[in-house]
Structures are given as structure tokens and as C-alpha cells.
């Protein structure tokens, strides 16, 4: 079996962190780094790093460390960052505007092509030079424009409606901010972003010691 097909989700979830740290090393003109040094910067153990990076090639040379550029390029390739992606945001409220205003996504290759809402007060306003359109025009827009990723920032009760429009128009990847599980066909990927889950994990960890009587 191809090595890449065996990469686990746990490793994939760590790749963006490797990519970010390796990018910083390159910016600082660091061309080689040992797994021990990388471990000190990134916070994973050296053996975890060796194990992770072994999943997709032989980058480390015993005694020489990793070639930072090679590793950065390979991880970028695995993360699909060697091409650009077109996106639309549905829901131009708090979250929708925050996502739209974050220019770093564009630098990573995610190009925002349209923002849609149903509120007449928002339709027509501009967010980073993109005019918010009426959601009634969404299906037409998706027919005329090739969109790779649909971003859902509407209330929970409306999320499935929007997901259905995405699916019908052939979108294969959905970034879902609404706190609900979407029903989509198997060939459509959904990545949920739930800040509250992260916050609850934090509160659990804050109370972990008490729970297990370690205080
Ligand atoms: P908001 O009320 O500021 O914005 C929602 C926008 O969606 C409004 O502008 C509204 O007019 C629009 N909308 C409603 N139905 C629509 C439809 N059928 N088509 C197009 N536009 C429609 O709400 P906010 O704070 O931006 O939250 C948006 C979503 O994100 C909610 O589902 C909320 O629960 C969720 N959320 C998620 C977080 C996360 O961690 N993922 C954190 C905070 C909120």
C-alpha cells in the first residue's frame, strides 16, 4: 500500500502545526533541524516527530537532522497547499464576517469568491471588496462559478438547508461553523469547527486535577 494512504487522522491533524513551525524556521533561514530541536520548539516528543514524519518519506538523516525546506514542501503538498481553492461563505453575521475578514486564508490559497445572506440589511454591503449577495441567488452563482469549499455560518436551524444547496451544486467540501451535524452523501467532506467544544475541553482540563483527586 502507498505510504500516504496509511497516514492516520491523528497525524494529519498535527501536520498544520509542523507546516507552521517549519515555515517559521525557513523565515529565519534555518535549513536543518534535528528532531530533538524541533521537539523543543513544537512541543511534541522527538520520537513522536520521527514517527509522524516517517509516514511520508525519509527526510531525516541520522546525525544531520531534517532538511527544513524539503519537509516544508512535502507537508504543504500533503496538505494540498500547492494549489488554490475557491470558497463561498453563507451567513454574513459575526462568524461569517470574521472568517471573511481573515486575510491569512487567502495567503494559504483559499480564495473567497462570494458571501451570501438573507438579511436585507446585509445584502449589498461590502466585506473586503466582496458584496454580500442575496442567498436566493446562491444556486445560480454556484452553477456559474466553480466553488471548491462551502463555508456555513448561518444559525443551526438553517445549516442543513445550505448544505443541501451545496451538495446539489456539486460542492465536495464543507467547512461548517453551525453547531449541528450535517447529513451529506459519502463523497462530501465536512469539517466542523466548534469553538465551544474547545472551550469545554479547556474547562475539563481546568477541573481535571479536582476530578481525579490530585489537589
Ligand atoms: P449571526 O446571527 O451574527 O449571523 C448569522 C447570519 O446568518 C445572519 O446574518 C443571518 O441573516 C444569516 N442567515 C440566517 N439564515 C440564513 C439563510 N437561510 N441563508 C443565508 N443567511 C442566513 O450569528 P453568528 O454569531 O455569526 O453565528 C453563526 C453560526 O455560527 C451559528 O450557527 C452559531 O451557532 C455558530 N457559531 C459557531 C461557533 C463555532 O465555534 N463554530 C461560535 C459561535 C457561533
Amino acid at each position: 500500500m502507498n505510504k500516504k494512504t496509511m497516514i492516520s487522522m491523528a497525524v494529519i491533524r498535527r501536520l498544520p502545526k509542523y507546516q507552521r513551525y517549519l515555515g517559521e524556521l525557513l523565515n529565519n533561514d534555518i535549513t536543518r533541524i534535528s528532531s530533538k530541536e524541533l521537539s523543543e520548539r513544537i512541543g511534541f516528543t522527538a520520537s513522536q516527530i520521527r514517527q509522524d514524519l516517517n509516514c511520508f518519506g525519509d527526510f531525516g538523516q541520522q546525525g544531520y537532522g531534517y532538511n527544513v525546506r524539503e519537509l516544508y514542501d512535502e507537508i504543504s503538498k500533503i496538505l494540498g497547499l500547492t494549489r488554490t481553492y475557491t470558497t463561498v461563505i453563507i451567513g454574513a453575521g459575526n462568524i461569517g464576517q470574521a472568517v471573511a475578514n481573515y486575510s491569512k486564508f487567502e495567503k494559504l490559497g483559499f480564495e473567497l469568491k462570494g458571501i451570501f445572506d438573507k438579511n436585507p440589511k446585509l445584502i449589498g454591503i461590502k466585506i473586503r471588496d466582496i458584496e454580500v449577495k442575496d442567498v436566493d441567488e446562491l444556486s445560480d452563482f454556484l452553477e456559474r462559478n466553480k466553488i471548491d469549499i462551502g463555508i456555513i455560518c448561518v444559525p443551526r436551524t438553517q445549516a442543513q438547508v445550505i448544505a443541501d444547496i451545496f451538495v446539489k451544486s456539486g460542492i465536495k467540501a464543507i467547512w461548517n461553523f453551525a453547531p449541528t451535524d450535517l447529513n451529506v452523501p459519502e463523497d462530501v467532506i465536512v469539517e466542523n469547527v466548534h469553538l465551544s467544544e474547545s472551550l469545554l475541553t479547556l474547562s475539563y482540563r481546568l477541573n481535571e486535577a479536582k476530578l481525579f483527586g490530585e489537589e
Side-chain angles (χ1 to χ4, degrees):
M1 202 199 297
N2 181 325
K3 263 193 164 183
K4 279 178 196 165
T5 60
M6 295 189 292
I7 299 176
S8 74
M9 261 332 265
V11 177
I12 292 167
R13 297 256 178 234
R14 286 194 286 273
L15 290 185
K17 195 165 178 184
Y18 285 117
Q19 205 255 359
R20 180 158 51 85
Y21 274 84
L22 290 165
E24 281 171 19
L25 292 176
L26 284 179
N27 285 341
N28 292 319
D29 297 322
I30 297 173
T31 54
R32 283 207 168 267
I33 189 158
S34 68
S35 50
K36 186 169 173 289
E37 282 168 306
L38 195 55
S39 149
E40 278 156 16
R41 285 172 186 254
I42 212 168
F44 304 149
T45 65
S47 77
Q48 170 93 82
I49 291 174
R50 280 193 298 271
Q51 222 177 326
D52 283 353
L53 302 184
N54 262 341
C55 291
F56 33 83
D58 298 321
F59 294 100
Q61 245 179 309
Q62 200 76 44
Y64 287 95
Y66 292 104
N67 178 320
V68 178
R69 163 57 65 188
E70 256 179 49
L71 201 51
Y72 177 84
D73 287 348
E74 184 62 18
I75 290 178
S76 300
K77 204 160 86 190
I78 291 167
L79 287 172
L81 296 177
T82 47
R83 54 163 285 201
T84 58
Y85 298 88
T86 49
T87 68
V88 285
I89 293 176
I90 318 303
N94 294 308
I95 293 278
Q97 293 203 23
V99 173
N101 276 316
Y102 191 55
S103 57
K104 176 93 191 292
F105 294 142
E106 211 122 299
K107 290 195 191 108
L108 285 170
F110 299 90
E111 199 187 337
L112 182 59
K113 290 291 195 184
I115 309 172
F116 295 82
D117 203 289
K118 69 167 192 185
N119 181 347
K121 286 192 185 136
L122 292 173
I123 296 166
I125 67 160
K126 279 196 170 177
I127 302 171
R128 287 186 55 225
D129 275 348
I130 300 177
E131 197 174 295
V132 176
K133 292 189 178 62
D134 190 331
V135 74
D136 286 347
E137 296 170 27
L138 178 61
S139 296
D140 264 11
F141 181 90
L142 295 177
E143 231 168 75
R144 282 183 282 108
N145 297 273
K146 166 89 185 72
I147 298 299
D148 301 304
I149 301 173
I151 306 176
I152 295 182
C153 299
V154 295
R156 188 177 53 80
T157 53
Q158 297 297 304
Q160 187 62 51
V161 177
I162 303 301
D164 290 344
I165 298 175
F166 284 163
V167 168
K168 207 166 161 212
S169 76
I171 286 183
K172 297 290 181 214
I174 298 177
W175 202 23
N176 175 37
F177 283 79
T180 188
D181 292 324
L182 301 171
N183 287 316
V184 295
E186 260 180 23
D187 65 339
V188 175
I189 312 154
V190 177
E191 184 66 30
N192 295 304
V193 184
H194 297 325
L195 299 183
S196 50
E197 286 177 12
S198 174
L199 195 57
L200 296 188
T201 307
L202 191 66
S203 79
Y204 164 80
R205 292 179 64 191
L206 203 57
N207 290 293
E208 202 175 13
K210 258 189 241 153
L211 272 176
F212 295 100
E214 286 169 16
E215 276 192 331

